[in-house]
Amino acid sequence: MTYSRREILRYAGLAVLETGCIRPRPESRVLPSLAPLPGPFQVPLPILPTLKPVRVESNADFYDVTARESRARILPGMDTAIWGYNGIFPGPTIEARVGRRVSIRLRNMLPVPIVNHLHGGRTAPDHDGYPTDLILPASFSHSQMSDPLAKITHDSREYIYANLQRAATLWYHDHRMDFTAPQMWRGLAGFYILRDPDEERLNLPRGDKEIALSICDRSFEADGSFRYPSLDPSLIKTPGVDAAYMGGVLGDVILVNGAPWPRLEVSNVKYRFRILNASNARRYDLEFDNSLPLVQIGSDGGLLAAPLRQRAIRIAPSERFDVVVDFSRCRPGSKVTLVNRGGEGPAALVMRFDVVRSERDESDLPARLAEVSFEKPEDATVTRVLDFSYQRAAHSWRINGQPFDPSRMDARPRLDALEIWRLQTDFSHPLHLHLVHFQVLGHSGRPGPYDTGWKDTINLGPGEAANILVRFTGYRGRYVFHCHNLEHEDMSMMGNFEVV
């Protein structure tokens, strides 16, 4: 990611010590691979498998998922050890229906504790994936967790999702306290697609013309294994990363659905792409090299009211953008590259689309997509100010100067209360709230071009601030909000709120 001269000066000015010397905060940094890397566009894009339920009832679907070690062929001629849901990376896609309950029995066959979070889900607190609600391996006799409210199980846990929310692109991932970053880096993430009849009546691109794209970056050791700078590679006792990577770990290999810089053969018709940034810390400025527009139809919380034509999309970790791309202006034989204007070298490329055939387009892109109603800011009853910044003395990322503490409650909104949260940052922080979706009222004094629709994550750059409008509806209980730069999250940039 590149910043303007003004942003850099502002950022540096925030880090002036009493002596007058500048001590910049940790910045995200590339961890170079030691393995030979393939050239781009050599492998086809993997299409992610959809998980089938093990049992179906009149109002519920039941799934069995096992988190386990496995091996995947990511780099040519090498096998990479992964931690995957059902042993694959990314994990299997779960397709759900609005109003229809999903039960997932998650078994832990890894050597470490895990937690599962449905990101973007309006979920009861016992099933949200609070970071201390661990599933211990069967071999663990006890947990060192100091949270007296933690709900800890051995071997497995049932997660129940009511799906009482709008259709949207959600995802599930590990959320273990202090170790989310390395455990997701090893593969613990997958899509959760929530559908409803209203969206299906729109006749958007579907079937093989609707494709989920999980974009992330990774680095590799000489033997093909994932490279990550953990202080404790066993991920048992000591959390955190080498000091040089406190600002965030960036890989030098861009993976889409687990494949390095893949290619996809397409027809010259419209396609729907559900794009997820599943990286730990890397942002992407996505753009086609031939200026083909990306027509945004949805954000974190579902469809927009109307299509929004974007030349480029800036997407931070955990954000989702639902887009339609019309390849009809591309002749068969054309090759169109999705590039990352925010990256350098190999990280400047994402994937390629090869237009290989002509086909009749059976889909539509209507002028109106959905009824989207927003709250009124004047109806908010509480305004809270939350500062996300690096504390030099503590060498830690904090919220309002405080490290994460499961026993401290940073906010207690009342059930169904409407509040304004003012979020302000010193560095780049993608900020995520559990349980709720919110409306972005203002982003550094103006509407943000990528803040349209209902959001659960907002991308804030150095020195930026945003006002978001949030109604705390659905459930009472304890939840978290945090930076979704996962290295920041693991190093204390997380807080609690309790809906009362």
Side-chain angles (χ1 to χ4, degrees), residues 37-360:
L37 302 182
F41 321 133
Q42 294 185 9
V43 296
L45 174 77
I47 302 301
L48 302 177
T50 299
L51 190 63
K52 295 185 181 301
V54 295
R55 189 169 90 253
V56 175
E57 295 183 355
S58 59
N59 64 345
D61 298 316
F62 296 81
Y63 296 88
D64 287 343
V65 177
T66 300
R68 61 182 175 87
E69 294 181 275
S70 183
R71 303 190 73 82
R73 180 60 58 93
I74 299 175
L75 301 181
M78 296 183 175
D79 286 336
T80 300
I82 66 161
W83 290 359
Y85 295 111
N86 286 354
I88 62 174
F89 165 62
T93 298
I94 296 173
E95 296 220 357
R97 306 284 300 179
V98 169
R100 183 174 176 82
R101 184 164 55 92
V102 162
S103 167
I104 298 175
R105 173 63 62 179
L106 177 59
R107 185 182 182 194
N108 182 12
M109 293 186 65
L110 294 170
V112 300
I114 61 172
V115 176
N116 194 64
H117 170 54
L118 177 58
H119 185 118
R122 181 179 292 171
T123 306
D126 288 353
H127 303 275
D128 182 65
Y130 191 84
T132 60
D133 289 347
L134 306 176
I135 307 173
L136 301 180
S139 59
F140 268 49
S141 60
H142 68 282
S143 168
Q144 297 177 340
M145 185 57 59
S146 59
D147 178 11
L149 299 178
K151 298 175 177 63
I152 296 174
T153 64
H154 276 83
D155 185 61
S156 68
R157 181 195 298 274
E158 182 184 28
Y159 291 92
I160 298 174
Y161 305 126
N163 296 318
L164 299 176
Q165 59 186 98
R166 302 179 74 223
T169 304
L170 313 181
W171 63 303
Y172 62 99
H173 61 79
D174 187 73
H175 208 265
R176 177 191 169 196
M177 180 173 167
D178 297 335
F179 292 93
T180 296
Q183 296 190 180
M184 280 186 58
W185 187 273
R186 297 191 188 190
L188 292 175
F191 277 102
Y192 187 103
I193 308 297
L194 189 54
R195 301 185 183 276
D196 70 5
D198 291 338
E199 179 181 313
E200 291 167 346
R201 281 192 286 268
L202 292 176
N203 194 31
L204 294 165
R206 64 184 65 183
D208 63 354
K209 306 298 188 298
E210 179 189 349
I211 300 174
L213 301 176
S214 174
I215 304 175
C216 65
D217 55 340
R218 294 292 187 268
S219 300
F220 295 84
E221 299 284 1
D223 62 358
S225 59
F226 284 136
R227 188 178 188 208
Y228 187 82
S230 291
L231 294 178
D232 175 10
S234 74
L235 308 188
I236 298 294
K237 295 181 179 179
T238 306
V241 294
D242 294 344
Y245 295 94
M246 282 186 63
V249 182
L250 306 180
D252 57 2
V253 178
I254 305 300
L255 304 177
V256 186
N257 293 356
W261 303 287
R263 66 180 187 274
L264 175 67
E265 293 186 350
V266 297
S267 303
N268 60 346
V269 296
K270 292 187 290 294
Y271 282 74
R272 179 182 184 178
F273 298 109
R274 297 176 181 263
I275 302 174
L276 160 68
N277 183 347
S279 296
N280 281 28
R282 184 182 290 279
R283 288 163 168 76
Y284 300 87
D285 287 348
L286 301 176
E287 186 177 345
F288 283 109
D289 63 348
N290 66 347
S291 300
L292 196 66
L294 297 123
V295 181
Q296 184 183 353
I297 61 170
S299 58
D300 299 338
L303 291 177
L304 308 182
L308 180 60
R309 184 184 175 100
Q310 306 269 26
R311 177 173 177 176
I313 287 176
R314 177 172 293 182
I315 180 170
S318 85
E319 285 189 298
R320 286 88 66 211
F321 282 80
D322 200 344
V323 303
V324 170
V325 177
D326 189 351
F327 292 102
S328 63
R329 60 181 277 187
C330 304
R331 296 179 178 178
S334 302
K335 299 182 189 302
V336 185
T337 302
L338 185 64
V339 299
N340 171 27
R341 300 297 186 196
E344 298 180 352
L349 300 175
V350 179
M351 64 178 294
R352 192 179 75 192
F353 298 85
D354 296 349
V355 185
V356 297
R357 57 190 168 267
S358 295
E359 189 176 318
R360 181 179 177 181

Side-chain angles (χ1 to χ4, degrees), residues 24 35 37 55 104 143 205 322 371 399 409 435 451 454:
L37 302 182
R55 189 169 90 253
I104 298 175
S143 168
D322 200 344
E371 293 296 324
I399 302 174
M409 207 51 58
L435 175 67
D451 297 332
W454 287 105

Side-chain angles (χ1 to χ4, degrees), residues 394-472:
H395 303 292
S396 175
W397 299 98
R398 297 192 172 183
I399 302 174
N400 286 351
Q402 300 275 2
F404 178 61
D405 181 349
S407 64
R408 187 191 67 249
M409 207 51 58
D410 300 288
R412 281 193 168 90
R414 299 191 67 82
L415 182 67
D416 293 326
L418 183 67
E419 298 191 356
I420 293 175
W421 284 24
R422 179 171 176 80
L423 314 174
Q424 54 196 40
T425 66
D426 63 339
F427 188 62
S428 293
H429 300 299
L431 305 179
H432 169 55
L433 279 66
H434 285 219
L435 175 67
V436 296
H437 291 92
F438 53 78
Q439 174 189 352
V440 180
L441 300 177
H443 191 147
S444 294
R446 62 190 183 278
Y450 310 117
D451 297 332
T452 306
W454 287 105
K455 299 282 292 174
D456 60 52
T457 305
I458 182 169
N459 180 17
L460 292 183
E464 290 187 344
N467 288 339
I468 63 173
L469 188 63
V470 193
R471 186 174 292 280
F472 292 87

Side-chain angles (χ1 to χ4, degrees), residues 11-12 14-17 21-27 390 392 427:
Y11 173 74
L14 289 169
V16 176
L17 299 176
C21 299
I22 293 178
R23 181 184 178 183
R25 291 162 178 76
E27 293 192 49
Y390 178 70
R392 290 186 300 273
F427 188 62

